[in-house]
Amino acid sequence: MRKLIILVSIIALTALVCGCCSVCNFSKSINTGMSKKTYTLDGYTFEGVEVGLNEGNVLKYTVNSNGPSVDIYIVDEDNYKLLQANSEEWDYIYYDYAEPSVSGEFTAYEDGTYYFVIDNYNDETAIVSTDLSW
């Protein structure tokens, strides 16, 4: 009888963790991570952080600049390559700015590699700290 209670308890806890066995989706990996960094961005330079997200995953961020305002973009892999190549043809998925700080979140619309870009579009140096979690 004791073994049966333990077995039922294990099954119940497993179902609780999954929400319900019928809705567990083990085919998708769970992408979680965090990044806390401080960047010194000279004028007209940017930094990007690679973030792997599944559809519906949320990237939360806080950015602080102790200098000029900075732009924040989320771009896909193709547009990040264009941005790195100084192309004027790149586009962003999401935009925000830190003046001098901002917090927000982005929900991925599909599985993929995204880049969280901090862009110092000024001619002054900016010291920028980022706190990202996904």
Side-chain angles (χ1 to χ4, degrees), residues 5-21 24:
I5 292 172
I6 292 172
L7 180 61
V8 169
S9 298
I10 290 172
I11 292 170
L13 287 172
T14 303
L16 181 64
V17 169
C18 288
C20 176
C21 291
C24 288

Side-chain angles (χ1 to χ4, degrees), residues 33-39 49 62 128-134:
M34 59 187 300
S35 173
K36 282 187 173 188
K37 292 188 179 178
T38 300
Y39 303 95
V49 178
T62 299
V128 180
S129 62
T130 61
D131 185 355
L132 310 177
S133 64
W134 64 94

Side-chain angles (χ1 to χ4, degrees), residues 40-46 120-126:
T40 300
L41 296 175
D42 293 331
Y44 307 106
T45 62
F46 67 90
N120 181 8
Y121 59 88
N122 302 283
D123 57 2
E124 302 173 47
T125 298

Side-chain angles (χ1 to χ4, degrees), residues 49-130:
V49 178
E50 182 179 321
V51 179
L53 298 172
N54 290 328
E55 180 180 347
N57 286 151
V58 176
L59 167 66
K60 295 180 181 182
Y61 62 88
T62 299
V63 177
N64 296 297
S65 175
N66 81 350
S69 300
V70 293
D71 284 337
I72 298 160
Y73 302 102
I74 295 179
V75 300
D76 61 20
E77 200 162 14
D78 291 336
N79 282 292
Y80 189 67
K81 289 176 185 176
L82 291 170
L83 184 59
Q84 288 178 308
N86 292 321
S87 171
E88 294 183 16
E89 301 299 318
W90 69 277
D91 198 8
Y92 58 87
I93 299 166
Y94 178 87
Y95 170 80
D96 205 345
Y97 61 95
E99 189 178 54
S101 63
V102 67
S103 293
E105 58 183 48
F106 164 77
T107 302
Y109 61 91
E110 65 182 9
D111 296 354
T113 300
Y114 296 86
Y115 290 85
F116 185 87
V117 177
I118 308 102
D119 181 20
N120 181 8
Y121 59 88
N122 302 283
D123 57 2
E124 302 173 47
T125 298
I127 308 296
V128 180
S129 62
T130 61

